[in-house]
Amino acid sequence: MTVFTTIPSLLVLYRIDHDLYEFNNRLAAVMKDQVAIENNITRLNTSLVELESAGRKLQATISSHELDMKSRQEHIEKMRTSLNNAKTNKEYSAILIQISAEKEEVSKIESIILDFMGQLEANLKSASAIREQLDVAQKSLEDSRRQSSQRVAELQAHIHELQRNRERALNAVPPESRKQYDRICQRYPGDAMASVDFNENDMETITCGGCFMGLNIEDVNLLRGRDEIRRCQSCGRILYLPEMLPQQASA
Ligand SMILES: [Zn+2]
């Protein structure tokens, strides 16, 4: 008599993976809001860092223009003093022309500074608006964490337990079958196996419980006779007979 280990051991693993997939999805659903808020916080922080850096650059530009303006104003004062020492009218009017040119420069720099100050003001305003948004987001993150902390802890505990069980179940599966199962799992996460659905009184209609396509009587016979993997030709899932399900397991 054939001893069946392949499909029964895979079924234990499959049930655990099925649950793991579902509980991970539940956890992801509970965490969805928090992840969205966290992403928003990251985005806001990035904007804030950029704004602050731009603000520092503006401030430095303003300072350097102010220094320039100050030295030009000092120059104007010096030239005014030297007016008194001018020896000829020609020299006097030459200094006047220089003063007027320098005054013009100063007034240009003044308007440049004003422009940069306007930009700096807008920058500071934006930064402060972002800080307010960050405060709001941080509070709603805390609220969301508080509200869901118990549910998250329960789900995580359950998932850890399933992962521990999975370790044991995986060791019971023959290595070659494990590889095949893993490959199919990548295609159908948590859903790598399918039942062969049929009625003993009507063996004309046999279908795959995964894709609902038709199967053959041969699929049933070979599954009953050989301890090996048999896959649905349509979807590729590993087939099992309902009678192979562990009796004690509940859905
Ligand atoms: Zn199928």
Side-chain angles (χ1 to χ4, degrees), residues 194-199 206-210 215-216 219-220 223 230 238-242:
S195 57
V196 179
D197 294 336
F198 62 95
N199 183 335
I206 306 173
T207 53
C208 165
L215 298 170
N216 299 317
D219 293 311
V220 177
L223 276 172
R230 188 154 182 87
I238 296 172
L239 296 170
Y240 66 88
L241 300 173

Side-chain angles (χ1 to χ4, degrees), residues 208 210-213 232 234-237:
C208 165
C211 68
F212 310 108
M213 296 299 278
C232 168
S234 305
C235 67
R237 287 183 176 88

Side-chain angles (χ1 to χ4, degrees):
M1 197 189 143
T2 318
V3 179
F4 290 94
T5 55
T6 305
I7 299 298
S9 65
L10 276 174
L11 273 173
V12 175
L13 183 62
Y14 162 67
R15 296 207 133 195
I16 293 170
D17 279 347
H18 190 85
D19 285 353
L20 257 179
Y21 183 72
E22 175 159 344
F23 277 91
N24 274 319
N25 276 347
R26 283 189 203 171
L27 182 62
V30 174
M31 301 291 284
K32 207 176 109 198
D33 285 351
Q34 286 174 36
V35 172
I37 300 170
E38 279 165 355
N39 288 343
N40 190 30
I41 287 177
T42 307
R43 229 176 5 249
L44 288 170
N45 271 322
T46 308
S47 307
L48 187 58
V49 167
E50 281 166 7
L51 275 171
E52 283 172 344
S53 150
R56 277 193 299 274
K57 274 185 201 142
L58 281 168
Q59 190 59 68
T61 310
I62 290 168
S63 300
S64 104
H65 279 104
E66 278 172 345
L67 265 181
D68 184 22
M69 190 168 77
K70 201 175 159 222
S71 84
R72 284 175 193 275
Q73 279 165 337
E74 280 164 6
H75 186 215
I76 292 171
E77 281 315 306
K78 265 185 206 151
M79 287 193 288
R80 275 192 181 131
T81 315
S82 65
L83 271 182
N84 302 327
N85 306 325
K87 298 202 169 59
T88 61
N89 274 345
K90 203 179 163 196
E91 197 183 331
Y92 189 89
S93 47
I95 297 172
L96 271 186
I97 288 168
Q98 277 188 53
I99 290 177
S100 150
E102 193 72 317
K103 273 184 170 172
E104 211 169 293
E105 274 309 305
V106 165
S107 115
K108 270 186 206 158
I109 295 169
E110 256 172 357
S111 80
I112 290 172
I113 290 175
L114 275 178
D115 183 39
F116 278 124
M117 278 183 156
Q119 288 181 41
L120 182 61
E121 199 182 326
N123 170 289
L124 293 175
K125 225 182 234 174
S126 304
S128 125
I130 286 183
R131 279 190 205 97
E132 276 170 29
Q133 289 178 46
L134 268 171
D135 273 352
V136 173
Q138 205 66 49
K139 278 195 190 82
S140 83
L141 181 63
E142 281 157 25
D143 283 349
S144 173
R145 278 188 182 146
R146 223 183 354 259
Q147 281 163 16
S148 60
S149 65
Q150 203 191 332
R151 182 77 185 123
V152 168
E154 282 167 11
L155 287 170
Q156 280 171 340
H158 193 67
I159 287 168
H160 285 153
E161 194 194 330
L162 285 168
Q163 281 164 341
R164 275 196 300 274
N165 294 344
R166 186 183 199 275
E167 205 68 27
R168 257 200 312 276
L170 193 64
N171 287 331
V173 177
E176 268 314 302
S177 311
R178 212 184 288 174
K179 273 188 205 153
Q180 265 203 70
Y181 174 84
D182 279 342
R183 272 201 304 276
I184 303 166
C185 263
Q186 285 172 7
R187 192 159 152 210
Y188 303 110
D191 194 26
M193 295 183 77
S195 57
V196 179
D197 294 336
F198 62 95
N199 183 335
E200 291 286 355
N201 303 321
D202 171 24
M203 295 304 274
E204 292 297 308
T205 322
I206 306 173
T207 53
C208 165
C211 68
F212 310 108
M213 296 299 278
L215 298 170
N216 299 317
I217 183 84
E218 201 191 11
D219 293 311
V220 177
N221 292 339
L222 283 174
L223 276 172
R224 277 181 178 157
R226 290 189 199 165
D227 181 37
E228 59 184 33
I229 284 181
R230 188 154 182 87
R231 294 170 61 181
C232 168
Q233 299 253 348
S234 305
C235 67
R237 287 183 176 88
I238 296 172
L239 296 170
Y240 66 88
L241 300 173
E243 65 212 43
M244 290 169 162
L245 282 173
Q247 288 307 309
Q248 75 280 14
S250 56

